[in-house]
Amino acid sequence: MSLLTEFPKMGRTDLRDFKKSIDEGFRDFTKNYGEAIENFFDPLLYFLVWLEKLFLNTPWPIIMASIALLVYFGSKSIKLTIGAILAFLVIGYLDMWEDTMATLAIISVATIVCISVGIPIGIMMARSNRTQTIITPILDIMQTIPSFVYLIPVVMLLGIGKVPGLLAVCIYAIPPIVRLTNLGIRLVDKDVMEASEAFGASYKQKLLDVQIPLALPNIFAGVNQTIMMALSMVVIASMIGVKGLGVPVLRAISNQYLALGVMNGLAIVVLAILFDRVSQSFGKRLQAHRESGHNA
Amino acid sequence: MNITVASEKTMTSETHPIITISNLNKWYGKFHALKDINLDVNKTEKIVICGPSGSGKSTLIRCINRLEVHQEGSIIVDGTELTDDVKQINEIRSDVGMVFQHFNLFPHLTVLENCTLAPIWVRKKPKIEADELAMELLKKVRIPEQSQKYPGQLSGGQQQRVAIARALCMQPRVMLFDEPTSALDPEMIKEVLETMIELADSGMTMLVVTHEMGFANKVADRVIFMDEGQIVEQNNPENFFSNPKSERTKLFLSQILNH
């Protein structure tokens, strides 16, 4: 009768042993391979540190000028450029310059990593339905699993520091670029693909000259989303030792500093808006053929 | 129906066929799309294929450059048989130009780039040479002034002429046309047909799926009528139009010529 009133479950000791064996297994894995994996990520660490130092050691007027130039060439909008300059002046004036530079550095590196890993994965997914059915659930997991859960193995494996933080950011931020690359390529008009096939083009030619250019609006939307998601991970990343705007936010949470929290939070928002507007208008300008067509 | 391979041969026995299709069968799932097709196409011959929709005429010419895969029979293009071998398929495809119903231009490339892409890809032509050839062919289809525009900025007729120039840039030995005027507004059909007539006069081998019977009458060496996946009748245009043998052909002709 107890079978009906009580859910059949694993015995307490069994369950404990089960969890313990997983933990121990992973610990052994960490012991054996942790260092090798750490070494593997060393170049990324050097790059991140180098970029951070570059941002911090360059006199601020030069940084300001290069940001203005980048924004201008990305968006070709004077309004946006002036807005960016004003925003960074306020950020600097409110003593958030250094944290902002650190955040910029980690976001830049995370974006580069996500793009260079994500786009090829997206291309592979677009090429075969089987790959797509395998990778899609993995992306779902990456996007929905609470970040703290995958922070545990990452920290166990790599300890606390910049690289685990970067990894955490990338795990969270990579799905959109993968998904939208895949989608963009799959959405390329069948007729157009048929035309390139009829010429006897190779897979690589079709991919590079037809599919990717036509998928660019979607790929760019993916890059944009990836940057946004990376920025939203800044606070969580700062919990495991990443410098930047997340650190003061964390401090503000634990000490109930309202102003500090809001200021740094808004600085993240400003960065997000700038990245978003610039990358979007840059993506749009790459699509010259969409500007003046009457039916395209 | 009552035309045999032998009588085809006697009609065009003096030249060597560039395309030989024998006992071709194709199914889409259970649907038997092409039934025992036998067809020889000679060099410089112009063949017009007509028939009701669903008769397999598009499928037939799409089999020739393997945009559709056939299950039985053989297709030999210029001495090379179409098999699963990708290299052979691409070789044949580069020699067979195709013009589609919906133009299928590359929307992200200018008219000129549309024309030079494949020669640079497949023929490994230097860009300058490809540009020169493309401009020459765009002049032939009378739109050199549009070369820097994007396809979306052109009219349907202009786009189809670009598509013809683009196919010609590969210097193909055979040109396939899959209902090239069906997606066009009536006033644009003429400009495309004129381009095709000029091309025919230049001696190109052409297979054209179309309902433009005026074009067939003027240009074709042979008109083929297809129905339900079979070649029902084929003849030279004079006899085909004035004296069709099968009832189905008569019915089809009465339906499209009375409009």
Side-chain angles (χ1 to χ4, degrees), chain A residues 191 194 197 205 209 292 295, chain B residues 62 93 104 108 121 152-153:
Chain A
D191 285 352
E194 206 161 67
E197 247 152 61
Q205 292 165 334
D209 288 337
S292 46
N295 56 1
Chain B
R62 287 163 61 84
R93 281 175 172 170
N104 302 12
H108 61 298
W121 268 353
Q153 297 165 300

Side-chain angles (χ1 to χ4, degrees), chain B residues 51-79:
Chain B
S53 65
S55 59
K57 50 198 192 310
S58 286
T59 309
L60 173 62
I61 69 165
R62 287 163 61 84
C63 278
I64 295 174
N65 60 359
R66 207 149 175 109
L67 289 179
E68 303 284 351
V69 178
H70 60 271
Q71 280 85 30
E72 266 175 30
S74 74
I75 301 176
I76 298 170
V77 181
D78 209 13

